[in-house]
Amino acid sequence: MSVNIENRGSRAAVIGLGSMGFGMAQSMKRAGLDVTGYDITQAVVERFVAEGGRGAQALADAVEGADIIVSVVVNAAQTEAVLFGPEGIARAMEPGAVFVSSATMDPAIARSLAERLEALGLHYLDAPISGGAAKAAKGELTIMASGTPEAFAAARPALDAMAAKVYELGDAAGIGAAFKMINQLLAGVHIAAACEAISFAAKQGLDLEKVYEVITASAGNSWMFENRIPHVLAGDYTPLSAIEIFVKDLGIVQDMARAERYPVPLVAAALQMYLAASGAGMGRDDDSSLARLYAQLSGAELPGKNKEPNKS
C-alpha cells in the first residue's frame, strides 16, 4: 500500500533494518517521509542508502531532527537498550517526538518503558506488528497499537505509510503488547499443529502435495498451515520467521499466564517443541522446522529433511 503523506516534511528514523524494519523504512520513504535508517549491520544501512534513504553510523545520529522513531528490534531488552542504554536515544530525541515500539514484549515492560520515556516529555506508542516481511515492504502490515492520543497523532504519518490496518486499542501502553501476545499464542500453536499434521501424514505414507491441497480446502486448514507447509514441501527452511522467535514469544505467554494463575497447556506443549528444535540446532532456521523435528523423532520422510540446520 502506497500512501501520500500530506506532511511531506516529516522526518523519521528506523532503528533495526532487519527483514521487517527494512520494508517498513522503504514504505515510509515511498510515502514521502524523510527516513534515516540505523542498524548494527553496516551492510544493510548501506543498502538502504543505495535505495535512496539516509543512513546513520550511530543511534544518536539516526534520531537527530526526527519527529518519529520506529524501533524494530528483537525484544524488550533491545528496546530498553535503544532507549536507555549507554548509547540510548531517550536524551537525544527531539522535544515532542514519538517512539514507536514494534518489538514483541511483556505488556508490563511496555508500560514501564512508556512511563520512563513520558517522564522526559516524549511520546511512546506501543505498536507491535504482524504480517511478515512481504507485507512490511508493501506497507500492508497490521499494527496493534495503544498509547496517548498525542502519541497516535505524532506517529500518524508513519502508521499510515506502514500499515493496511492500524488498530487503536487503548490510551495506555501495554494494551497493544497484550493483543500481540494473544496473536503469538495462536500463531505458535498453529504452526506446531500444522507441522505435527504434515509429519504425521508423511508417516502414513501420504502424498504430501495432495495433503496440502485437500487440507487447504477443508475445515482443518489454518493460515499458518497454508503459509508454512509449502516450506516443508519444498524442503526449504530458509528463515522467514525463525524457531527462536517462538521460543521467546511463547515463553513470554507462559510467564504472563503463570503470573495470572492461568493454564496454557497448549502453549506449554508447543513451547517444548520449539525448545527441542532449537536444541537440535534449528533455532535460526524457519519455524516450519518443527516438521523436521517431528520427522527425526518418528522416522517420517520429508522432502529435504536431512538438510543440515542453518548454522549462519
Side-chain angles (χ1 to χ4, degrees):
M1 182 178 73
S2 180
V3 178
N4 288 320
I5 303 298
E6 291 183 7
N7 181 13
R8 301 183 71 88
S10 292
R11 295 271 316 260
V14 176
I15 309 300
L17 295 173
S19 59
M20 298 293 288
F22 197 96
M24 292 159 74
Q26 286 179 313
S27 295
M28 284 189 280
K29 181 167 61 66
R30 189 169 58 247
L33 279 77
D34 185 353
V35 184
T36 299
Y38 172 82
D39 195 279
I40 59 173
T41 302
Q42 185 59 29
V44 294
V45 177
E46 292 172 356
R47 177 186 164 206
F48 185 62
V49 171
E51 295 187 10
R54 296 176 185 264
Q57 303 294 316
L59 276 171
D61 295 338
V63 305
E64 184 178 357
D67 310 300
I68 305 165
I69 295 92
V70 180
S71 175
V72 201
V73 296
V74 172
N75 54 29
Q78 289 188 6
T79 304
E80 183 174 21
V82 165
L83 282 171
F84 303 110
E87 299 179 13
I89 63 172
R91 299 288 180 182
M93 287 172 61
E94 298 290 327
V98 60
F99 182 84
V100 180
S101 176
S102 295
T104 301
M105 67 180 72
D106 187 307
I109 297 176
R111 289 191 292 271
S112 174
L113 293 175
E115 289 171 1
R116 292 169 67 184
L117 196 65
E118 289 166 357
L120 300 175
L122 300 164
H123 302 299
Y124 183 104
L125 192 69
D126 178 16
I129 54 180
S130 183
K135 289 190 175 182
K138 294 177 183 177
E140 296 177 353
L141 290 171
T142 295
I143 298 181
M144 299 164 240
S146 64
T148 64
E150 293 80 8
F152 272 107
R156 186 64 60 191
L159 298 176
D160 288 346
M162 297 186 295
K165 295 181 180 179
V166 178
Y167 289 100
E168 299 187 19
L169 301 170
D171 61 3
I175 301 171
F179 270 82
K180 179 62 184 291
M181 295 322 305
I182 300 302
N183 181 77
Q184 295 308 90
L185 183 161
L186 290 166
V189 170
H190 287 176
I191 292 167
C195 291
E196 183 173 296
I198 200 68
S199 298
F200 187 49
K203 187 67 174 177
Q204 303 305 306
L206 302 180
D207 179 336
L208 299 188
E209 296 281 354
K210 185 59 69 175
V211 170
Y212 181 76
E213 178 184 342
V214 170
I215 296 303
T216 54
S218 303
N221 190 34
S222 68
W223 191 92
M224 285 301 186
F225 185 95
E226 194 163 344
N227 182 267
R228 297 306 204 269
I229 297 309
H231 307 175
V232 179
L233 300 181
D236 183 358
Y237 299 95
T238 302
L240 301 180
S241 174
I243 286 285
E244 288 293 346
I245 290 175
F246 281 101
V247 170
K248 170 179 70 73
D249 290 357
L250 293 189
I252 294 172
V253 172
Q254 189 160 269
D255 288 345
M256 290 168 61
R258 182 168 55 248
E260 296 288 342
R261 298 300 186 263
Y262 183 87
V264 283
L266 298 182
V267 168
L271 177 57
Q272 292 304 308
M273 298 306 294
Y274 289 104
L275 286 167
S278 179
M282 303 176 196
R284 295 184 181 180
D285 289 353
D286 193 74
D287 50 33
S288 59
S289 291
L290 284 191
R292 281 193 293 171
L293 181 68
Y294 276 106
Q296 289 178 7
L297 293 171
S298 67
E301 294 289 333
L302 293 176
K305 81 175 183 68
N306 292 321
K307 288 184 178 180
E308 284 294 311
N310 178 24
K311 302 295 187 181
S312 61

